[in-house]
Every structure is written in structure tokens, then in C-alpha cells.
Amino acid sequence: MSYKPGSVAVVGAAESTKIGAVPGMSQIMLHADAALNAMAECGLKPGDIDGVACVGPMMPQQIAHYLGITPTWVDGTAVGGCSFMLHVRHAAAAIAAGYAKTILITHGESGKSRINGTPRPAEPESLNGQFEVPYGPFGPPTLFPIPVLRYMQATGTTHEHLAQVSVVTREWAAKNPRAMFRDPITIDDVLGSRMIAYPFRILQCCLVTDGGGAIIVTSADRAKDFPTKPVYILGSGESVESNMVSQMEDFTSSRAFRVAGPTAMKMAGITHSDVDHLMIYDAFAHLPLYGLEDLGFCKRGEAKDFIWEGNTRPGGKLPLNTNGGGLSYTHTGMYGMFALQESIRQMRGTAPAQVAGAKVSIAHGVGGMFSASGTIVFSNEQP
Amino acid sequence: MALAPGRPKPKPTPETKHFWDGCKAGKLLLQRCVETGRAYFPPRPFSPYTGSRNVETFEASGRATLHSYVIHHRPVPGFEPPYAIAVVELEEGPRMMTNIIDCPQTPEALVLDMPMVVAFTPLDDDITLPLFRPAQEAK
């Protein structure tokens, strides 16, 4: 049994009070700060929460105990930066199943200041430790872009096309006072920026920041009693592939995307033309291209032209990554929470770069190195 | 060629020991699913295609093509930037991450689909890594 489209709603959603450089908070307090903000806006206390989800290494028992919550349901699904999309999906199912009534999903990461930050070990006997680490990858900038040259060859995508992703994303960031980088950039700026791991330069890699976010979901029936405007969950999808990028089935397309995205849209009963607003987790500049194609917004090889022609920029027909994305807004290490927050803001009508009249928003997440994916379809109208 | 000190060292497990023993002996050992005949990587004692434990280990040709790569420009212990982190597609089908030797680490020299051959390169007395070099450079 699945939850019915629109039967579960977001009633609380907030980010940490500060994002970017937050040297005054440890990782667990970034969780708590966002959770307190989310509870405050919808008039809840920790004692009102009966479900908790967060992503490792922070375990649900740490967050529950820190905040003073006695849950009847927890979820510690940890599949990388899109884990929060999966948490929302699992929470909706749990509410439909009666395991919990009011679920809090939190994220906090001291990605920049590293105050009790997430360790990133790769055990030498793990498969990654044996079959990838000895060849010199050093974090996501050296791993996530490994398929890009193959994608470029297969689709005719150029360096200029990939630079344009960063340029357009920065246009959105310019409209967002909380974005870390807001000054306009050109293709020449991108292609002249410091080389990190060819073919990607620093302006094609996400930021590394501190921050947190929290989401509270409950049944749509109960949502009507909250002071906040309900944002309904119409559909959701999830999948995983491999956490070894070298073992990706197809370097030009994410299998996890191709499962999660269509599953969510089918459940929601929507077509591409119903989507007013789109978030595609942009840890690196190629991800919006993969997302647009794997979710079916563009045919194979056409995402580069779709972005180049201005369809995703301010005023375009499919506003994409309107907060400024992981490329210019913020990226703590697990950006999926912030993509969800922006979709929720757009559905509430409170986004800094609000898309006028938007009724349906998709937040599509990726787990590091294409290892996982989660997709949520939101609406401000109950079907 | 001698590898720079500091490179992370893989630690074999019961399921992968044969692969690393093979590299040390100058053999690139893959496994295949007997039922489907399809080769796979990384090593495991069952078929990822069918779930069957009926698998066999065989020596791969060592021939491959360059599938994709990045060229890392920042310092990492054990590596001298810029260096390519590559994925090759073996003639038998599976892909593996590796480094490319005997070749300039530039986009001009590293052309997708170029033929490669395995170049077993000792990391230390225990571990030999299957690096690759352009086939035309093969001895």
C-alpha cells in the first residue's frame, strides 16, 4: 500500500538561522537550530513530534535525544546528499501506515568549519578502498565528474555548454540574499577559473558550507490546522545504483535517476508540462544535464541546448535551481535538504526568486557519485 | 616505473584476494558467470547477473579502451598533479578505475576509446596495481 497522492503534507520547513560559514555551531546544533526554526513556524514543541529521520553519521537517536523527542518511528537512511528525499518518502508512507503522526526530518553539516564534522574515511578493505582509492581520487570533485567526458562525447556537449550551467545558476543566486555567491559570471569567467579536475574548474564545483535544514510532515487532514500553508506531497521515488562511479552502468545516464524520477511523476499523475518549478541537485555542473534528460524533460543530448537557449534561467519556461543551487547558494556536503527547502518555499510562495503562480515543483536529488537518487513532487494544491 | 610513496594501499578480502594475487603474478584475473558467460568486476563469488554461485575465474587479455577520466590538478599524497584518474573498459566488458602511464596527462594525449594495455606496477612487496598504458606504447 502506498500513501495517496496529496494525503501527506509539509507543515514546517526551515533552514538553520545562518548558512555559509557558521563557526559558532557544531554539526548537531545545526540540526537542532533548523529543527527549532521549523517547529517554531508551525507552533510545535519537541513533545509533539513522534517521528525522526536524519542521515548518518548523525543517528536518529542522537537527534531525538538532543531535542527531547520520544519517537514511535525513526529512519536513518543514509544514501548521500539525497537521503532527505528518501526520508520524506518514507515519512509519508509511515504516516499513511500509522507509525507516526508528525515527523521531523533534519540535516546539519559543518562542512566548512568542520566542528564535529562528518569524517570521510574509505576503509582500505572496502570495495572503494581496493578498486578506486589507490588511483588517486580525492573527494567528490575527482570522482563525480569522471563520467563527464563520456557524456560530452556521446551528446556533443561542449565545455561552453557546461559552463553555461554555472552562469545560469548564478543568475538565480543573484536574486537570493542568502546565497553565498551572487555576482554575475560569464562563460569566460567559468572557463578561466582555476582547474580542479579536468574538465571541471572551480566554478563548476559546488560550494562547501555550513548549514542545516528541517522539514516537518503530517497527514493532509491535520495539516489544515497548522498556521503554515500546507505543501502537499503528490509523489515520490527512490533508487540506488553503485557508490563506485567506475561501476556505473552507463556513464551518460544515471540508472537511479531513471528509476526515482519517473516513479515519482507517475505516482503524482503529472506530465512534464505540469511542472512549474524544478530543483536538480547540482553538486557539479553536469548534474542538471543528466537530470533533465533522465527525468524526461529533454531528449538524450538536448539538455545542453535547453539550458543554452535560456529555458531554465529567470523568465524561462522551466525555472531550475532557483535558490542558486549547490553551485552558488550553499552546499554543506548534503545539499538535498536545501533543494527540498527551495521547492517548499516556491510552493508556499515565499521564495526570494518566486516563480509566479507555480503549483507543482519537483525536487530531484542525487547521492554522491550517482550512487543514489530520490525525487519528490510537491504541490500547493491538494489533488 | 616506481610509484611515489604515500599512495593509498588496498587491503584484499577473502573475496578479492585472488585478484590481487593475480596482479602480483602479472595476470589480470576476472570472473564470469558460467550460466550467462558474462564477465564482471569487482570480484565476488557469485554472479551479479543471476545470483548463481556458479562462477569461474579466468585471465583477461589485458586489452582495454579508455572510457572516461578526469585530470586532477591538486596535490594528493602519493600523486604528482596533474594526473589522470581514468576508467578503462576491458575487452571482456567490465570497467575498472586505474591510472594511465607512459602518456602525457593531457586532454590532447588522452583520447576516449584509445586502445590500452594493462601495465602491472608494484606498489610494494604485497600489492601490484593494474595500471594501463596506451597500446601503441606497449613493449
Side-chain angles (χ1 to χ4, degrees), chain A residues 51-54 84 87-88 91 103-107 213-217 337:
Chain A
V52 172
C54 59
F84 317 101
H87 295 159
V88 168
I103 293 176
L104 171 70
I105 301 161
T106 67
H107 166 62
I215 292 171
I216 298 168
V217 296
M337 171 58 79

Side-chain angles (χ1 to χ4, degrees), chain A residues 35-94:
Chain A
L36 294 172
N37 288 343
M39 286 189 280
E41 73 154 11
C42 61
L44 291 176
K45 300 286 183 203
D48 301 318
I49 303 288
D50 60 359
V52 172
C54 59
V55 53
M58 199 63 74
M59 295 184 288
Q61 56 266 51
Q62 292 172 281
I63 296 302
H65 185 256
Y66 198 58
L67 286 167
I69 295 167
T70 305
T72 60
W73 174 91
V74 298
D75 182 10
T77 300
V79 293
C82 64
S83 298
F84 317 101
M85 282 77 175
L86 280 73
H87 295 159
V88 168
R89 183 171 206 242
H90 302 172

Side-chain angles (χ1 to χ4, degrees), chain B residues 34-119:
Chain B
V34 171
E35 204 173 305
T36 64
R38 293 173 69 189
Y40 62 84
F41 183 83
R44 74 207 83 165
F46 61 92
S47 163
Y49 307 116
T50 66
S52 167
R53 294 175 196 260
N54 188 12
V55 299
E56 59 188 13
T57 299
F58 68 101
E59 185 178 350
S61 70
R63 288 189 289 273
T65 54
L66 181 58
H67 194 65
S68 203
Y69 63 91
V70 297
I71 302 172
H72 194 208
H73 283 250
R74 305 185 71 203
V76 172
F79 295 85
E80 188 159 337
Y83 63 95
I85 305 163
V87 173
V88 294
E89 184 167 286
L90 302 174
E91 190 173 60
E92 293 80 7
R95 298 188 193 122
M96 58 173 63
M97 189 171 283
T98 189
N99 299 123
I100 308 300
I101 62 169
D102 298 340
C103 181
Q105 306 289 290
T106 63
E108 294 72 28
L110 294 163
V111 179
L112 295 196
D113 299 318
M114 67 194 278
M116 316 290 298
V117 290
V118 69

Side-chain angles (χ1 to χ4, degrees), chain A residues 124 130 134-136 146 150 198, chain B residues 7 11 16 67-68 71 83:
Chain A
Q130 291 185 69
Y135 306 108
I146 279 181
R150 195 82 209 167
Y198 175 86
Chain B
R7 183 185 281 245
K11 187 174 175 187
T16 65
H67 194 65
S68 203
I71 302 172
Y83 63 95

Side-chain angles (χ1 to χ4, degrees), chain A residues 311-383:
Chain A
N311 291 296
T312 62
R313 69 171 15 147
K317 69 178 179 189
L318 184 60
L320 173 70
N321 294 344
T322 51
N323 58 353
L327 293 173
S328 287
Y329 176 59
T330 207
H331 192 296
T332 54
M334 292 192 183
Y335 167 79
M337 171 58 79
F338 299 95
L340 289 165
Q341 294 284 341
E342 175 66 7
S343 278
I344 294 164
R345 283 192 294 266
Q346 288 286 347
M347 293 297 91
R348 288 174 164 184
T350 60
Q354 181 61 42
V355 176
K359 290 177 182 169
V360 173
S361 173
I362 289 182
H364 177 72
V366 66
M369 283 51 87
F370 288 112
S371 65
S373 185
T375 313
I376 304 293
V377 182
F378 291 108
S379 180
N380 45 25
E381 292 181 346
Q382 196 173 16

